[in-house]
Amino acid sequence: MSPDVSVRRSRALLTGYFLGLGVVMAVWGARMPAVQHAAHLTTGSLSLILLAAALGMVAGLQAGGRLARPERLPLLLIVGAVALAAALALLGQCRTLASLLAAALAFGAAHGVLDVAANTAAVRCQNAIGRPVMSSLHAAYSIGALGGAALAAATASKAHSTLFLAVGVVLTASVLVAGPRTLALSGVDQPATSGPQGAGRGRAAGRVWLLGALAAASLLGEGAAADWAAVHVHALHTSSAVAASAFALYSAGMAIGRLTGDRLTTRLGAPAVVRTGAVLAAAGLATGVLADNVPAALAGWAVFGLGLSGAVPSLITAAGRHGPRAVATVSVTGYLGLLAGPAVIGALASATTLPTALLLPVLLAAALAALSPRALENTTP
C-alpha cells in the first residue's frame, strides 16, 4: 500500500473515532433527565454524578498524556473507545447513586483517555499528510454530536437503558472490526523529536499554558452556548421552540466552520484563521446580546459558533508539537473552562443581568483574538 493511501485510510479511521465520541457524549447528555428519573435523583445528586464524570475525565486526560507514546496510540484508541462504550452501557443499568457515581467516574476516565489518544494521533496523522486536517476531524465530532442528539430525541419514548446498551454494543463492534486497521494506524510511527532544553523548555512550557488558557476561553464560550443560549433567547419573550433553536444554530455554525476550517488554515495560516474567527465571534455575540431582539440574538449565537470553530483544533495542533502531555494539559485546562463557564455566567447573571453576564465570553473571544497570533506562531503544518 502506498504511503498516501495509508495516510488517507488513517484519516478516515480517526474520523470514525471522533464521530463515535460525539455520538456517545450527545446520547449521554440528551438522556440525562431519564437517568435522573430512573434513579430518583435530586438535582444535587445529579450534580454529584456530573462532578464524578468530570473528575474521571481529568484523571483520564492526565493518564492519557503519560501513556500516549507513539507506539501505544493505536491500543489506547481501541481500549479507550471500548471502555467508553462499556461505561455508557453500564450507566444505563445503574439505579442507585453509588453505582452511578462509580460508572460516571469510569465513563469520564475513558473519555479522557480516548480524547488524548485521538487528538494526539490526529496531530501525527496531520503531520504525515503535511496539511491541516484537524478541523475536519473535530467537525466529525460535532456531526456525531448532532446525530447522537437526534437519535436520543427519536428514541425518547424508549428506555434510556436500551439506547445506552445499543449504542455501546454498536460502538464496541465497530471498534473491534476496525481493530486491525487501528493497530496498523499510519502517522503514529514517526520518530519522536527531542524536546527543547534549558531556557527553550521553559519557553515551551509557557507556550503550552498559554494554549491551555486560550482553550479555556474558547470552551467557556461553548459552555455558555450550551447552557445559556436558549435561556437568553427565551427571555426575549419568544416560544420555547424558538429559544431551543439558539443552540442548534450555534452548533450548525460550529460544524460549518470546522468543515471549511482546514482549507482556510492551509490558505491563511492558523494564527489568521483563529484571530479573525475570534473577532467575528466577539462581534456576533455582542451584537446579539446588545440588540435585545430575537432575530439578532439567534444570528449572534450562530456567528459566535462559526467564529469559534477554528480555535480548539488549532490550539490542539499547536499543543501536539510539544507531545502528548502538552495535548493533555491543554485539554484539561480547556475543559475546566467548559465546566466552570456556565456556573460563572450564572453567578454573574445573579449579580447583574444575563445579557451583562454574556459579555464575559465576548471579552474572552476578544482576548483570544489578541493572544492567539503569539500562541500559534509557526504551527500550521
Side-chain angles (χ1 to χ4, degrees), residues 170-270:
V170 170
L171 178 61
T172 299
S174 300
V175 171
L176 294 180
V177 168
R181 288 190 177 182
T182 302
L183 291 173
L185 198 64
S186 67
V188 299
D189 56 351
Q190 304 165 35
T193 56
S194 59
Q197 304 295 322
R201 179 177 296 172
R203 287 193 297 271
R207 175 73 64 87
V208 169
W209 284 112
L210 176 59
L211 291 168
L214 295 179
S218 179
L219 288 174
L220 185 146
E222 185 168 333
D227 287 10
W228 291 107
V231 177
H232 167 232
V233 175
H234 193 263
L236 298 175
H237 310 293
T238 189
S239 67
S240 297
V242 172
S245 69
F247 183 64
L249 288 170
Y250 167 87
S251 299
M254 179 72 71
I256 291 170
R258 287 182 170 172
L259 287 170
T260 59
D262 290 330
R263 290 193 294 273
L264 290 174
T265 301
T266 300
R267 181 179 302 175
L268 305 173

Side-chain angles (χ1 to χ4, degrees), residues 96-174:
T96 66
L97 177 60
S99 62
L100 280 167
L101 286 172
L105 191 68
F107 181 81
H111 181 193
V113 169
L114 181 57
D115 189 280
V116 171
N119 277 299
T120 302
V123 169
R124 297 181 69 83
C125 185
Q126 177 173 258
N127 291 340
I129 292 173
R131 58 181 174 80
V133 297
M134 183 68 80
S135 186
S136 65
L137 292 173
H138 280 248
Y141 176 90
S142 298
I143 293 169
L146 288 172
L151 176 63
T155 58
S157 62
K158 307 295 183 182
H160 73 283
S161 56
T162 302
L163 174 62
F164 286 9
L165 179 61
V167 172
V169 168
V170 170
L171 178 61
T172 299
S174 300

Side-chain angles (χ1 to χ4, degrees), residues 223-349:
D227 287 10
W228 291 107
V231 177
H232 167 232
V233 175
H234 193 263
L236 298 175
H237 310 293
T238 189
S239 67
S240 297
V242 172
S245 69
F247 183 64
L249 288 170
Y250 167 87
S251 299
M254 179 72 71
I256 291 170
R258 287 182 170 172
L259 287 170
T260 59
D262 290 330
R263 290 193 294 273
L264 290 174
T265 301
T266 300
R267 181 179 302 175
L268 305 173
V273 169
V274 175
R275 181 181 66 246
T276 303
V279 170
L280 184 65
L285 185 57
T287 301
V289 168
L290 298 176
D292 199 31
N293 65 76
V294 173
L298 292 174
W301 285 111
V303 172
F304 188 61
L306 180 66
L308 286 184
S309 61
V312 170
S314 294
L315 294 169
I316 293 293
T317 294
R321 297 173 67 88
H322 302 283
R325 291 196 180 187
V327 172
T329 298
V330 172
S331 297
V332 168
T333 309
Y335 279 112
L336 289 177
L338 179 66
L339 296 171
V344 171
I345 289 173
L348 288 175

